Amino acid sequence: GQQVMQIPQYQHVQEGEDFTTYCNSSTTLSNIQWYKQRPGGHPVFLIQLVKSGEVKKQKRLTFQFGEAKKNSSLHITATQTTDVGTYFCAGGARSRRALTFGSGTRLQVQP
Amino acid sequence: DAGVIQSPRHEVTEMGQEVTLRCKPISGHDYLFWYRQTMMRGLELLIYFNNNVPIDDSGMPEDRFSAKMPNASFSTLKIQPSEPRDSAVYFCASSFGTSGAYSYNEQFFGPGTRLTVL
């Protein structure tokens, strides 16, 4: 079945440093979504990418979808303590009518 | 809009007992998803419904788990009998999608039910 892997599992940065998490799928995706889950909270939708090579920005966050539509990345510039949480990618595929969530990357930001 | 509502928020029960988790999706959403989250296995999709009909239950762990959606505004996830390994946070999520098509719209998650089976 489809598998979606994320690396790293955990990252600890100093406030102001950049952060990147990578998402890789075993199969070609039709779309990819990113979610953020604060400690003790629930996943909250951030963005969706659909097109090959697509790049989207939300303030300090940059999302990319690979040309082959099998990988994606989320980059945060100049992290802040409010960025703390776990970031999940979730891939959609025509072979399965639901998203497959990655394992998540937990981000800790040291003030 | 109140968002997705789940109850109870916390449940502590003893092994062998029946557990029922409840979910009210956002009004107008036609897809409903049940997820389970644990440290070891991450966020797993258990089952999802489209227009109250179960579409894919391949993630349901075993026959002890069952889910129903009797109408568009209510769904239940039942575990009978419960076991300690069922301890997890269970999330319900809903989304809006064209009926009969793939729903890849944003999923709205409820606050979750933290289940502890002793």
Side-chain angles (χ1 to χ4, degrees):
Chain A
Q2 180 186 26
Q3 290 188 329
V4 178
M5 307 299 293
Q6 269 186 266
I7 55 171
Q9 283 189 319
Y10 172 76
Q11 184 129 28
H12 186 156
V13 300
Q14 294 287 322
E15 190 172 21
E17 292 182 337
D18 292 356
F19 160 77
T20 304
T21 173
Y22 300 91
C23 181
N24 293 286
S25 170
S26 58
T27 58
T28 302
L29 301 170
S30 57
N31 66 310
I32 195 155
Q33 297 182 1
W34 285 90
Y35 290 78
K36 176 183 178 181
Q37 184 177 21
R38 294 182 185 275
H42 57 277
V44 175
F45 176 83
L46 294 176
I47 207 161
Q48 175 168 259
L49 305 171
V50 178
K51 298 176 183 177
S52 170
E54 189 170 13
V55 178
K56 288 189 176 180
K57 293 189 176 184
Q58 287 181 348
K59 297 182 180 178
R60 296 176 295 104
L61 278 61
T62 301
F63 303 84
Q64 292 189 328
F65 200 8
E67 294 290 340
K69 301 184 76 173
K70 295 182 72 173
N71 57 74
S72 181
S73 65
L74 158 59
H75 179 81
I76 302 178
T77 303
T79 54
Q80 300 175 357
T81 55
T82 53
D83 296 325
V84 165
T86 300
Y87 293 84
F88 293 95
C89 63
R94 290 292 180 184
S95 60
R96 186 168 186 243
R97 291 188 171 196
L99 295 170
T100 300
F101 276 77
S103 48
T105 295
R106 186 159 69 96
L107 172 65
Q108 186 65 32
V109 180
Q110 182 81 32
Chain B
D1 197 326
V4 175
I5 299 172
Q6 289 186 249
S7 64
R9 293 293 307 277
H10 301 272
E11 177 81 29
V12 180
T13 190
E14 292 189 344
M15 183 174 64
Q17 296 297 306
E18 177 180 295
V19 174
T20 299
L21 311 181
R22 297 173 176 78
C23 175
K24 176 179 169 56
I26 292 173
S27 176
H29 282 188
D30 54 352
Y31 281 81
L32 184 139
F33 307 83
W34 281 101
Y35 292 91
R36 177 173 68 176
Q37 186 174 40
T38 61
M39 288 293 293
M40 290 297 294
R41 301 177 67 89
L43 195 60
E44 303 173 276
L45 175 67
L46 300 177
I47 185 172
Y48 78 96
F49 296 82
N50 175 220
N51 289 325
N52 314 337
V53 176
I55 302 300
D56 184 348
D57 65 354
S58 60
M60 296 286 262
E62 49 199 88
D63 292 344
R64 297 185 299 106
F65 285 68
S66 62
K68 293 182 180 180
M69 192 165 185
N71 56 62
S73 58
F74 183 67
S75 177
T76 59
L77 178 67
K78 187 174 293 186
I79 309 172
Q80 166 64 19
S82 58
E83 296 182 4
R85 60 189 167 129
D86 301 330
S87 297
V89 179
Y90 291 81
F91 287 105
C92 174
S94 70
S95 70
F96 175 74
T98 304
S99 177
Y102 303 104
S103 175
Y104 291 135
N105 290 328
E106 165 184 3
Q107 291 187 20
F108 293 82
F109 282 74
T113 295
R114 182 173 295 277
L115 173 64
T116 302
V117 183
L118 303 175

